[in-house]
Amino acid sequence: MAIVTAPGLAAGVAHAAPATPAVPAAPGAPAAPAPLPGAKSLEQVRKDIEELYRQAGSATDAFNLAESETKAQSEKIVEIANLVVAGQNRITALKGRAGAAARAQYRSGGLPAGAELALSENPGQYLDGAGRLRQGEKAASDLLSELDRTQADLRQYAMDAAAHWATLEANRVKQETAKKQVEEKIKAAEELESKLEAEEKARLIQLEQEAQYKAQTAWLSTGAMKDVKGTATDAGRRAVQFATAQIGKPYIWGAVGPDSFDCSGLTSKAWLAAGKGIPRTSQEQLRLLPKVALKDMRPGDLIIYFDDASHVGMYVGDGAMVHAPRPGRHVTMAGAGSMPIKAVVRPDA
């Protein structure tokens, strides 16, 4: 099965070879290099760094969600402010109409319309006046009712604005808390890595690749890909084209391009480029997008990873996916089963 029929994808794959082979090596392939002395402790360091970055990914999702909710609340407050201005202008206009009616009555000598009608000596004028009086009374009643409704709307707008302000402030607190957590986890991971010698850093990358390869091989050995034969839709191909065109760009938490991405920033922008807006975070993508069975997976679908849905990649075919891995790494191809899969979701269901 071809990875996808979208033009240019093969070139994208060639541009940055997968960090993890999408399929196991053929029989007789060279064995992985023997561990260096002290590799066991280095392996533990790798696991510690990986866990810190996974936690940072989860905190990044919390930050991104709070940021999008903050933006939504800000937009709602602006909308309410515009409604308040329109309501105040409406009340000014209604009061102007009421004032005009009062001035007209004053110019007529101050007699109410009903009194003027009663004093009329002309039956024809009386009947005409009776009709106008009913119309005038209805108009006055409608004006007062409209004034009451507009004032009630303004009171409701004030209550809505207060509620949205409270939510806005709560989201800002969430943002700051999540930002602090992200920065702390990334700093801790970077400090661990900074203590390694150059040879150990090279070995660390090798251990990452070996762990991903081992996970992918184990996943494929279960027959997970045996019945996966789905083909991409036109939108799916466009999403894959966009995602693979970003290969080589750095992971930056909270980034949505064009020069860097985090994991869900990549997938959300890829689908936006394909004409479909989807949720910003991997957790919201899991919650709101339709889930599909693994056997029905097709290129363009999103694979959600880990129990807390803290990572996401885009399936591109042949058991491979494209993703933005973590800080310090770049957008790349990897095996779809190189991390624990939680679910597969479909943006264009």
Side-chain angles (χ1 to χ4, degrees):
M1 176 175 62
I3 285 180
V4 72
T5 57
L9 179 57
V13 175
H15 169 70
T20 300
V23 295
L36 296 176
K40 184 174 182 181
S41 61
L42 188 58
E43 171 65 9
Q44 187 57 53
V45 170
R46 182 195 69 78
K47 289 181 179 179
D48 291 344
I49 290 174
E50 185 178 277
E51 177 60 19
L52 285 168
Y53 279 128
R54 191 197 62 75
Q55 292 174 10
S58 184
T60 297
D61 245 22
F63 174 87
N64 290 336
L65 179 59
E67 184 177 49
S68 63
E69 288 178 345
T70 296
K71 181 181 177 183
Q73 294 301 325
S74 297
E75 291 172 351
K76 189 64 180 176
I77 288 170
V78 170
E79 180 184 334
I80 290 172
N82 290 333
L83 290 172
V84 168
V85 170
Q88 289 172 336
N89 290 339
R90 184 65 179 157
I91 285 178
T92 299
L94 292 171
K95 286 181 177 178
R97 285 166 54 190
R103 289 191 296 273
Q105 183 175 323
Y106 175 78
R107 287 194 297 271
S108 69
L111 287 174
E116 290 184 18
L117 187 57
L119 295 174
S120 173
E121 296 179 355
N122 187 312
Q125 288 180 346
Y126 183 91
L127 292 175
D128 290 342
R132 288 195 299 273
L133 178 60
R134 285 193 295 272
Q135 292 174 355
E137 288 174 342
K138 184 177 185 305
S141 175
D142 289 347
L143 187 150
L144 291 174
S145 296
E146 188 172 355
L147 185 61
D148 286 342
R149 284 195 304 272
T150 305
Q151 289 173 330
D153 287 343
L154 288 177
R155 288 192 293 270
Q156 185 61 51
Y157 295 154
M159 290 187 288
D160 289 346
H164 285 294
W165 270 115
T167 304
L168 179 66
E169 289 306 308
N171 282 329
R172 283 176 175 160
V173 171
K174 288 180 185 177
Q175 267 186 280
E176 288 303 313
T177 301
K179 180 180 179 182
K180 184 178 179 181
Q181 290 174 343
V182 172
E183 291 173 342
E184 286 176 351
K185 298 298 182 183
I186 291 177
K187 182 180 178 181
E190 289 175 343
E191 286 178 351
L192 272 178
E193 201 162 355
S194 69
K195 294 175 182 177
L196 301 176
E197 300 294 337
E199 184 181 7
E200 290 175 317
K201 288 180 180 179
R203 176 62 177 154
L204 182 67
I205 294 174
Q206 185 181 26
L207 288 174
E208 288 179 5
Q209 294 173 344
E210 289 172 359
Q212 293 169 5
Y213 177 80
K214 182 178 179 181
Q216 174 76 352
T217 302
W219 180 66
L220 290 173
S221 70
T222 66
M225 289 296 299
K226 181 169 63 73
D227 297 321
V228 179
K229 299 181 175 64
T231 57
T233 61
D234 287 342
R237 281 192 289 273
R238 291 195 297 272
V240 169
Q241 281 181 314
F242 180 94
T244 54
Q246 312 314 309
I247 287 174
K249 293 183 179 180
Y251 177 109
I252 300 293
W253 77 269
V256 292
D259 300 320
S260 57
F261 296 87
D262 63 18
C263 66
S264 56
L266 177 66
T267 55
S268 60
K269 278 296 183 181
W271 270 102
L272 187 60
K276 175 75 174 179
I278 65 172
R280 167 66 178 89
T281 71
S282 56
Q283 293 169 350
E284 288 295 280
Q285 288 168 4
L286 172 65
R287 187 173 73 87
L288 297 174
L289 296 178
K291 297 177 181 63
V292 296
L294 186 64
K295 66 181 180 60
D296 298 323
M297 185 167 59
R298 68 192 186 197
D301 286 347
L302 306 183
I303 307 175
I304 309 296
Y305 294 98
F306 302 111
D307 286 340
D308 60 358
S310 57
H311 192 69
V312 60
M314 178 180 292
Y315 183 63
V316 297
D318 277 354
M321 59 91 171
V322 61
H323 70 145
R326 65 160 174 88
R329 299 292 182 261
H330 296 74
V331 176
T332 189
M333 298 277 286
S338 57
M339 292 173 286
I341 296 175
K342 183 175 180 66
V344 178
V345 297
R346 178 162 293 165
D348 61 340

